[in-house]
Amino acid sequence: MAAMFWIQFILVLGAVLIGIRKGGVALGLIGGLGVSVLVLGFRSAPSEPPIAVMLIILAVVTASATLQVAGGLDYLVQLTEKLLRAHPKYVTILAPLCTFFLTVCCGTGHAVYALLPVISDVAIKTKIRPERPMAISSVASQMGITASPVAAAVTFFLGFAAKAGHPVTLIDIISVTMPAGVIGVLAAAAWSFNRGLDLEKDPEFQGRLQDPEFRKGLDADVTTLDKKISTVAKLSVALFFAGVGTIILMASCPWLLPLAADKKPVPMTTVVQFIMLAYGAFILFAAKVKAKDIANSSVFIAGMIAVVSIFGIAWMSDTFISANKKYLVDNIGIMVKMAPWTFAIATFCISAFVKSQAATLAITLPLGLALGLPIPLLLGLMPASYAYFFFAFYPSDLAAINMDRTGTTRIGKYLLNHSFMIPGLIGVGVSTVVAYTISQFIL
């Protein structure tokens, strides 16, 4: 039994690593190959593919992409810039809070790219070392995913808990992850206030100032305020938030839901799907969005990659865990139950390589359930699913480096001594501890 377990484990781990290296939809395709080998080669019974979760993500991503094409994301970014420029001295704390809530609103961290040049510009003009707000803002934009009611990671957890027979509501999830995320961001921002030397005292920066081209680049203006936002763009934001509000209302008042064939209320996993598709259609008609533009948008493409990745990797992980449940429980279950925080470390380590919180949860949640960890505990450890700042190869981190015109936000000589490491460790560490504590009291 032990030999068979380790052979299958190496197979699954190898599939994940190859998928990560290939990138994009490769994680899903190679995950499907792993299912084939487990079923046909090892004669394991295939688990059920995560259809409900995939449909939720598909519906939410389609609505979010429609919002992007309608100009709604541009409007949200512009509102954020107005706030930052109104209070430039507090950019180190306001910027990460803005990127966090921008992700909460949109369900994707990709919205941060339009804001990073603005954050850098505000910092430069206020003579604040840009590394201070830039690094934590990139980290905060990804921390917001577990607190967003329309993010893939949250909808995956919602669907997984329902399938596992221990359903939690959207309100339950957000009531744990939202305050935990905010406190984690504030803790990391507080540390960032005095990091590094001020620009006028930084010899490396002062040396670069001797280059006329470098000085010219610092004088450039970066703003979204000159971009005209249409009325339909503003309407699209109102409609999108109305959709999110409708879902939260339904989750808070189950008596509003019609009864299904089994005389029970329609499950929230289904409600999220048709509500988000409906409000996406409202935005489509109101803004006269072209359907082909939705399919070509960056939000839609990123979302489809997430769907395919989760399809393959979650199916493979669940099949492997189901086939080896007894071995896992007998050998690892006792240790994890005695020290549940060790499961958070395992989740964090996996996320450092699997650069998606939804995909990380697709791997770890079935394992946690097989080890006998209760759903409230797994929810409390959910913030630990973000660790892809660790190697600073994620697009938002690279964008922050490239958009800091002073060069203070960077990857160090030894690879891991980069600008995002300590803000990331503080933010994720604090938010995980807070989420774990809250989950023990309210669930």
Side-chain angles (χ1 to χ4, degrees):
M1 181 68 181
M4 189 64 69
F5 168 82
W6 287 109
I7 292 172
Q8 293 183 29
F9 176 76
I10 292 171
L11 165 71
V12 170
L13 184 61
V16 171
L17 292 176
I18 294 172
I20 293 167
R21 187 168 183 177
K22 293 289 184 181
V25 299
L27 194 59
L29 294 173
I30 296 173
L33 175 60
V35 174
S36 302
V37 174
L38 288 171
V39 173
L40 301 177
F42 293 92
R43 317 308 291 177
S44 300
S47 65
E48 289 294 320
I51 299 298
V53 172
M54 292 164 57
L55 292 177
I56 292 173
I57 296 172
L58 186 61
V60 171
V61 164
T62 304
S64 299
T66 309
L67 173 71
Q68 181 187 25
V69 175
L73 288 187
D74 292 336
Y75 179 49
L76 290 174
V77 169
Q78 195 174 89
L79 290 176
T80 304
E81 181 178 353
K82 288 179 180 178
L83 174 65
L84 294 179
R85 293 196 183 280
H87 306 281
K89 292 184 179 179
Y90 303 103
V91 66
T92 303
I93 192 166
L94 288 178
L97 285 175
C98 286
T99 59
F100 177 87
F101 283 109
L102 189 62
T103 297
V104 168
C105 293
C106 303
T108 173
H110 295 293
V112 74
Y113 301 134
L115 203 52
L116 288 173
V118 173
I119 295 171
S120 175
D121 194 58
V122 171
I124 291 171
K125 287 180 169 51
T126 319
K127 297 184 179 180
I128 292 173
R129 184 182 180 90
E131 180 187 32
R132 295 170 183 171
M134 291 288 279
I136 179 55
S137 293
S138 176
V139 169
S141 70
Q142 304 307 315
M143 288 177 63
I145 288 174
T146 54
S148 171
V150 290
V154 172
T155 53
F156 179 86
F157 194 99
L158 186 70
F160 174 83
K163 182 182 175 183
H166 305 282
V168 294
T169 68
L170 201 58
I171 300 298
D172 291 332
I173 298 174
I174 301 305
S175 63
V176 171
T177 57
M178 177 70 78
V182 171
I183 293 172
V185 167
L186 288 174
W191 178 85
S192 300
F193 259 112
N194 297 307
R195 75 174 306 183
L197 296 171
D198 291 334
L199 291 179
E200 61 267 22
K201 298 178 181 178
D202 188 335
E204 187 175 344
F205 174 76
Q206 292 299 319
R208 290 180 183 175
L209 280 179
Q210 305 308 311
D211 182 354
E213 288 298 316
F214 180 78
R215 287 202 309 273
K216 185 178 178 181
L218 293 181
D219 293 335
D221 257 337
V222 178
T223 182
T224 65
L225 298 181
D226 55 1
K227 187 171 186 177
K228 187 175 180 180
I229 303 296
S230 65
T231 303
V232 293
K234 298 176 182 179
L235 177 60
S236 71
V237 172
L239 288 171
F240 187 83
F241 286 162
V244 176
T246 301
I247 291 171
I248 293 174
L249 178 64
M250 295 289 188
S252 306
C253 308
W255 51 269
L256 291 174
L257 297 171
L259 298 180
D262 57 2
K263 303 302 181 183
K264 294 181 180 179
V266 174
M268 280 304 301
T269 50
T270 303
V271 172
V272 172
Q273 295 171 42
F274 64 72
I275 291 295
M276 290 312 298
L277 286 175
Y279 277 92
F282 292 154
I283 297 172
L284 176 79
F285 293 129
K288 297 180 181 178
V289 170
K290 293 181 180 178
K292 69 175 183 178
D293 291 340
I294 299 173
N296 292 328
S297 68
S298 60
V299 169
F300 188 82
I301 292 170
M304 291 308 99
I305 291 173
V307 169
V308 176
S309 298
I310 288 170
F311 184 18
I313 206 69
W315 198 3
M316 178 180 67
S317 301
D318 201 20
T319 298
F320 165 71
I321 290 164
S322 298
N324 296 278
K325 184 174 181 178
K326 186 178 185 306
Y327 182 86
L328 287 166
V329 172
D330 291 345
N331 291 274
I332 306 175
I334 295 176
M335 179 193 76
V336 173
K337 285 182 179 178
M338 290 179 62
W341 55 269
T342 58
F343 193 77
I345 294 176
T347 302
F348 184 88
C349 291
I350 291 172
S351 177
F353 296 94
V354 181
K355 298 188 182 300
S356 162
Q357 293 174 62
T360 298
L361 294 173
I363 296 171
T364 59
L365 289 182
L367 175 60
L369 196 65
L371 295 174
L373 297 179
I375 290 295
L377 174 61
L378 293 174
L379 175 55
L381 301 180
M382 193 175 172
S385 63
Y386 167 49
Y388 38 87
F389 66 85
F390 196 82
F391 295 110
F393 291 157
Y394 196 71
S396 62
D397 297 333
L398 296 177
I401 292 170
N402 292 326
M403 292 175 184
D404 178 359
R405 306 198 302 274
T406 65
T408 57
T409 308
R410 58 191 171 183
I411 295 176
K413 180 180 178 181
Y414 303 104
L415 185 63
L416 295 182
N417 60 328
H418 52 72
S419 298
F420 313 94
M421 181 63 81
I422 298 181
L425 291 174
I426 293 174
V428 172
V430 170
S431 62
T432 302
V433 171
V434 173
Y436 175 78
T437 303
I438 294 174
S439 69
Q440 303 307 297
F441 286 99
I442 70 172
L443 294 178

